[in-house]
Amino acid sequence: MPWAEMATEAWVETVSAEIVQLKDPVGLSLARFELLPREFEGRGAIHYGTLRIDGDFVPPSQITAIFGDLEVSGRISTQGVDGADGNTTLLVLGSVESSTLVNDWSSLILVSEDVVVREWALMDQEDSSFVAGANFVTPLFLGYDIWATVGGAASMEAGIGYAVQIDMNGRENFDHVFRPNLSKEETERMLRISDSQQLFERFYNTGTILPSD
């Protein structure tokens, strides 16, 4: 189905009406976010139905919603949307599957159902948030101090960071935390880094967090 473009006020009204229909606690969790980026003056985009992308996906607007599943063969990224530096909201009322996932600073990736990232997820950006309303699965998660919020469970083979389960009030329950199977030190050895600065230098220089062999 085609994209619908609309004024900011209409986008917020449409999206908010859909969120309140979600079952709790996922609906409560998503409803607490301020969806509009700071000083945003553009128009919003909504896609109705499942969206399948052969390649990478960058949202067409800084406020983008998909009312259906999002299936991407390549990367999903909130970087550089409309030429902006971060400050993007991607809301998916459905499930998400991609090869890699990158969330930029002050950006939101909010998903009502499962999120499966086949290779790696990079989310260590200031003031960003990521929610998977059901389960979150990835072999490699790099969040550092930016945790993933999940409505179900999180499965991460390696990583630096953690996921927190939503309680019945839609808030993070820090008594129920999911951690990668490999430790921070084991993950750093696997990636051949000693700190996050090295990781981001590699990412910005090569487009990947994985070491070249």
Side-chain angles (χ1 to χ4, degrees):
M1 296 181 67
W3 287 93
E5 182 183 299
M6 60 189 67
T8 299
E9 295 80 3
W11 186 91
V12 171
E13 182 178 344
T14 302
V15 167
S16 298
E18 293 292 326
I19 289 176
V20 299
Q21 295 184 47
L22 297 174
K23 292 182 179 180
D24 293 334
V26 176
L28 291 172
S29 176
L30 299 187
R32 67 187 176 86
F33 286 96
E34 172 56 57
L35 298 177
L36 293 183
R38 288 172 291 186
E39 301 179 1
F40 177 71
E41 297 179 349
R43 292 173 65 81
I46 295 178
H47 188 279
Y48 293 88
T50 295
L51 177 62
R52 295 182 177 91
I53 301 292
D54 184 12
D56 298 334
F57 175 73
V58 175
S61 166
Q62 282 181 262
I63 51 172
T64 294
I66 298 170
F67 297 163
D69 298 336
L70 174 59
E71 301 172 4
V72 178
S73 66
R75 177 172 302 170
I76 297 172
S77 175
T78 56
Q79 289 185 306
V81 178
D82 284 341
D85 183 14
N87 287 289
T88 290
T89 295
L90 173 61
L91 172 72
V92 180
L93 300 186
S95 63
V96 167
E97 183 174 351
S98 66
S99 178
T100 57
L101 183 64
V102 177
N103 201 17
D104 207 355
W105 77 281
S106 289
S107 294
L108 305 175
I109 297 179
L110 309 176
V111 183
S112 66
E113 299 178 13
D114 292 329
V115 176
V116 177
V117 183
R118 294 183 296 274
E119 296 182 19
W120 50 263
L122 180 61
M123 300 184 185
D124 178 31
Q125 291 290 338
E126 184 178 359
D127 295 329
S128 66
S129 293
F130 165 72
V131 175
N135 299 316
F136 174 48
V137 178
T138 185
L140 179 57
F141 172 71
L142 281 304
Y144 289 85
D145 294 328
I146 305 297
W147 60 83
T149 302
V150 298
S155 175
M156 304 166 285
E157 179 59 30
I160 303 172
Y162 55 97
V164 180
Q165 193 174 59
I166 302 168
D167 66 18
M168 294 308 298
N169 296 313
R171 298 285 180 177
E172 290 93 343
N173 178 6
F174 287 94
D175 291 328
H176 201 159
V177 171
F178 301 93
R179 299 190 183 277
N181 294 332
L182 298 184
S183 69
K184 175 179 181 291
E185 291 73 22
E186 290 171 319
T187 299
E188 287 179 336
R189 286 197 295 270
M190 180 184 75
L191 294 175
R192 301 174 198 164
I193 60 170
S194 59
D195 55 38
S196 61
Q197 181 177 351
Q198 291 180 344
L199 180 76
F200 276 94
E201 286 178 355
R202 176 185 295 165
F203 175 69
Y204 289 123
N205 288 332
T206 69
T208 182
I209 63 173
L210 302 177
S212 60
D213 289 323

